[in-house]
Amino acid sequence: VEGAVQVLEKLLNFFIEALPQIDQFYRTNDHRESMKIVSFEIVLDIITLTVHTISGLSFFDIGRNAIMDLDDYSRLLFNWRRCLEGRFMGLNVSADKTVSLKKYVMEGIAHMSKSESLQHKLVGSGIIWSLIRHMLEFDPTLEESHSRYEGKDDLEMSQAASNVHARLSTRALGMLCGIMKDRSLMTPMNKELFDSVSILLTPSLAQMLRNKKTGEILTVLNSNIETPVRIWNVNMRKELTNFLGAQEEKLPGGVCKTQGEELSIVNE
């Protein structure tokens, strides 16, 4: 497994770096549009399959250990963040082409969160800003037609890709914080991250990350709620969105900070 992870990490890095080069090549050379589309789709398929494989391996202890045994596993986590952001793809890949890629990235974050070291490295990569941003893209109205499935795990209920990503992001953030109540989703407690998330989302909403079902916190985050124990409105959501955008713009390329360094901005 260790050797396989090393090969997969190098493969992922190569094709992530190659995609902008392909873009530049077609910008400066006269090629048919059909050839351009095929080239981007092939590279994106390779990236997606590679991320899917690494994500699956990270479910197991041996896979997570193999990741930590890499010469520089911060590069893998940096590229993991890039896949979630998608900015390295430029404007040549439509959003629907990245649905599966982002899904596998989010599942991988949840799997890696079972390791305390990987938890801290993932936070240091800046990936939490993208996770929270995806949570704010949830549309509660798309869930109304699925009310008859109330007893099921709500990850199976939504048909909209944006809602699926929001649900997976919520679960991944809860596992990064180490506060999940469900035994199958328990991870090491990360108090430093949870305290920062409590500042960003308010303590009452941050506590809701403990739940296996993600619908309640996502509905609140994307609605106006004012009760004696819970306040969240459109202005708070706008402030958070602006803050997340600013943090994503400032993220350094190719560098993973320490968890404390990445979260220090929240406490300023």
Side-chain angles (χ1 to χ4, degrees), residues 65-93:
N65 290 335
I67 290 174
M68 290 186 288
D69 286 339
L70 291 170
D71 292 336
D72 182 15
Y73 68 90
S74 62
R75 185 174 75 171
L76 172 62
L77 302 186
F78 167 67
N79 282 328
W80 215 254
R81 187 198 87 200
R82 294 173 77 187
C83 288
L84 185 57
E85 293 173 341
R87 286 186 290 179
F88 73 94
M89 302 176 198
L91 302 176
N92 298 286
V93 181

Side-chain angles (χ1 to χ4, degrees), residues 128-147:
I128 62 166
W129 315 125
S130 290
L131 287 177
I132 298 175
R133 176 169 52 80
H134 278 86
M135 292 169 63
L136 298 178
E137 295 171 356
F138 182 80
D139 184 353
T141 64
L142 296 178
E143 305 297 302
E144 295 175 359
S145 61
H146 299 281
S147 58

Side-chain angles (χ1 to χ4, degrees), residues 95-160:
D96 64 306
K97 300 294 185 182
T98 65
V99 169
S100 295
L101 174 61
K102 290 188 176 184
K103 174 179 178 290
Y104 299 142
V105 168
M106 294 169 182
E107 289 174 346
I109 295 170
H111 297 159
M112 294 180 202
S113 295
K114 296 175 184 177
S115 160
E116 184 175 355
S117 295
L118 288 174
Q119 268 187 356
H120 291 190
K121 278 286 189 179
L122 281 164
V123 176
S125 76
I127 209 164
I128 62 166
W129 315 125
S130 290
L131 287 177
I132 298 175
R133 176 169 52 80
H134 278 86
M135 292 169 63
L136 298 178
E137 295 171 356
F138 182 80
D139 184 353
T141 64
L142 296 178
E143 305 297 302
E144 295 175 359
S145 61
H146 299 281
S147 58
R148 64 183 183 277
Y149 298 119
E150 186 176 352
K152 292 188 177 182
D153 185 334
D154 59 9
L155 289 178
E156 303 172 359
M157 292 163 54
S158 176
Q159 300 301 306

Side-chain angles (χ1 to χ4, degrees), residues 179 194 197-199 201-210 217:
I179 59 170
F194 181 64
V197 171
S198 296
I199 293 173
L201 303 184
T202 72
S204 61
L205 266 65
Q207 287 290 337
M208 297 167 70
L209 289 169
R210 300 178 301 173
I217 183 174

